[in-house]
Amino acid sequence: MKKRAAALYSGGLDSLLSIAMMQRLGYPVTPIFFRTPFFGPDKALRAARSAGFEVRVIDITEPHLEMLKSPVYGFGRNLNPCIDCHGLMFRMAAQLIEDGEVDFLISGEVLGQRPKSQRHDAMNAVRKLSGVKDLIVRPLCQKLLPDTLPIREGWVDKEDMLDIQGRTRRRQMELAEQWGIADYNTPGGGCLLTDAAYSVLLRDLLEHGELVECNLRFLRYGRHYRLGPTTRLIVGKTSYDNEGISGAAKQETVLKVMGIHGPLGVIQGEASSEQLQLAADIVFSHTQRAGDEDLVCYGLNFQLVNRIRGTRMTPEQLEVLRIR
Ligand code: SF4
């Protein structure tokens, strides 16, 4: 009876290949997708369905947000703390070993493929953070890595492992073709933490001590303005943004210029009367069909029963308040 493995699964080609490879070698594999507010499972589940395996989705939002506040190994090009993130995922997957469900962990990392997270030293860092450093096997490049317990104990034959390294994906593409894997995510694709514009907004939340899940709801929509240390305004830029804002707004104050087709604004955090006036002026300034002054309606829970006069601001005045 082969030992059982849990696999870190992202929906990317490398993780798909590592799972397919171990399954073809006869190992029972439990693929796990770790859900965070920045990386949802939809595409990964679709890719898994087309490759013919089931995935367990585990939500790690809480520890992930905690980790994001001060990652031991810092951030990548944007606000992506990939080394700490991998370490956290291994640590969460290790729970399955503790629970006796699996015997070791696998992942699809390839040595030297990404600039930071998949170098030798980065892999060591991930192993250290994971708390299960001796129980990780990386099937696509394990031949190039120091032996871990599953290899030393003969659970996994090192000769069955591969020695893929570097940034070219030629061998992975060949294997995908050979094994009939055609549906997968692009590398790093889908994680909002690798998006430059999103990272700017997230960094602002971090710097103001506001990194909590409910503050992430509007981050993908519109223009963002900081009105005070704990108060922000989001103004829709497109109809997609406006739909997103109306879908995500719960207890917040929503604003809109009366009787004119234009953007929605939503205030996150408590607003003083000065901040409310500022919010009305900003929403007004983004309403193209409005004149120089008009009524803005606002209220909680989309009950826009209150009125305030909005006046147009200059682009320079808007720029000062814009989060960027
Ligand atoms: S790209 Fe995103 S999900 Fe992937 S390791 Fe980096 S931070 Fe984590």
Side-chain angles (χ1 to χ4, degrees):
M1 185 67 183
K2 296 261 193 192
K3 293 284 186 181
R4 302 151 303 168
L8 266 56
Y9 173 64
S10 65
L13 178 57
D14 295 341
S15 61
L16 271 163
L17 287 176
S18 66
I19 292 165
M21 176 177 156
M22 294 302 274
Q23 285 181 332
R24 293 169 79 88
L25 289 167
Y27 294 90
V29 180
T30 304
I32 305 172
F33 182 95
F34 289 101
R35 182 208 299 266
T36 71
F38 315 107
F39 195 21
D42 294 354
K43 282 189 184 166
L45 292 180
R46 202 186 57 210
R49 265 196 304 279
S50 96
F53 59 80
E54 301 270 315
V55 178
R56 189 180 302 182
V57 178
I58 299 179
D59 192 296
I60 55 165
T61 296
E62 216 180 291
H64 200 271
L65 290 183
E66 268 317 299
M67 174 274 291
L68 202 50
K69 288 176 189 167
S70 64
V72 179
Y73 292 92
F75 297 103
R77 182 181 302 202
N78 295 301
L79 221 58
N80 48 316
C82 292
I83 294 178
D84 287 69
C85 183
H86 272 144
L88 174 64
M89 288 176 182
F90 274 120
R91 208 163 66 235
M92 303 310 281
Q95 189 62 47
L96 274 75
I97 299 179
E98 272 172 46
D99 295 346
E101 273 196 65
V102 301
D103 304 293
F104 65 103
L105 308 179
I106 65 169
S107 84
E109 285 147 300
V110 164
L111 198 57
Q113 184 169 82
R114 306 244 186 101
K116 191 167 176 188
S117 64
Q118 296 183 4
R119 292 192 311 251
H120 252 304
D121 52 348
M123 285 194 183
N124 280 336
V126 168
R127 284 172 51 217
K128 270 190 221 152
L129 288 171
S130 72
V132 283
K133 56 185 179 193
D134 210 23
L135 285 168
I136 299 173
V137 173
R138 281 133 169 158
L140 301 185
C141 64
Q142 187 60 45
K143 260 191 182 156
L144 305 168
L145 300 175
D147 296 346
T148 50
L149 185 109
I151 304 280
R152 293 196 307 275
E153 290 292 312
W155 304 349
V156 175
D157 187 345
K158 194 166 182 175
E159 284 311 303
D160 288 337
M161 300 293 99
L162 300 178
D163 56 358
I164 304 178
Q165 64 176 320
R167 307 194 72 165
T168 152
R169 300 173 66 77
R170 186 181 50 80
R171 283 181 70 192
Q172 287 97 310
M173 305 301 276
E174 283 168 7
L175 286 173
E177 202 178 325
Q178 219 173 305
W179 296 342
I181 295 172
D183 186 3
Y184 47 84
N185 290 345
T186 51
C191 176
L192 288 167
L193 297 176
T194 62
D195 181 282
Y198 188 91
S199 295
V200 167
L201 301 174
L202 196 63
R203 191 180 295 280
D204 174 77
L205 288 184
L206 259 176
E207 287 170 358
H208 287 84
E210 293 187 305
L211 186 61
V212 287
E213 192 179 359
C214 69
N215 282 341
L216 304 174
R217 275 180 293 135
F218 299 102
L219 240 51
R220 278 183 292 159
Y221 307 116
R223 311 163 179 93
H224 290 238
Y225 294 91
R226 184 156 282 286
L227 307 182
T230 58
T231 314
R232 284 166 294 114
L233 171 75
I234 298 98
V235 185
K237 201 169 168 183
T238 61
S239 51
Y240 170 81
D241 291 337
N242 289 330
E243 277 163 29
I245 289 171
S246 32
K250 290 180 181 151
Q251 301 293 317
E252 289 87 1
T253 297
V254 171
L255 310 92
K256 190 186 169 311
V257 174
M258 262 184 86
I260 298 179
H261 183 73
L264 285 179
V266 59
I267 297 176
Q268 273 209 300
E270 288 290 313
S272 64
S273 51
E274 289 80 19
Q275 288 165 339
L276 179 65
Q277 180 64 61
L278 200 49
D281 292 344
I282 295 171
V283 171
F284 185 83
S285 303
H286 285 297
T287 304
Q288 284 171 2
R289 292 191 199 160
D292 284 334
E293 194 181 283
D294 218 329
L295 285 180
V296 174
C297 50
Y298 69 94
L300 296 171
N301 302 320
F302 276 90
Q303 304 293 308
L304 308 188
V305 291
N306 307 296
R307 308 280 182 264
I308 188 170
R309 193 154 290 284
T311 52
R312 196 164 289 284
M313 296 169 72
T314 65
E316 293 73 28
Q317 288 171 321
L318 289 170
E319 211 48 35
V320 172
L321 298 169
R322 181 124 178 224
I323 300 170
R324 53 171 62 246

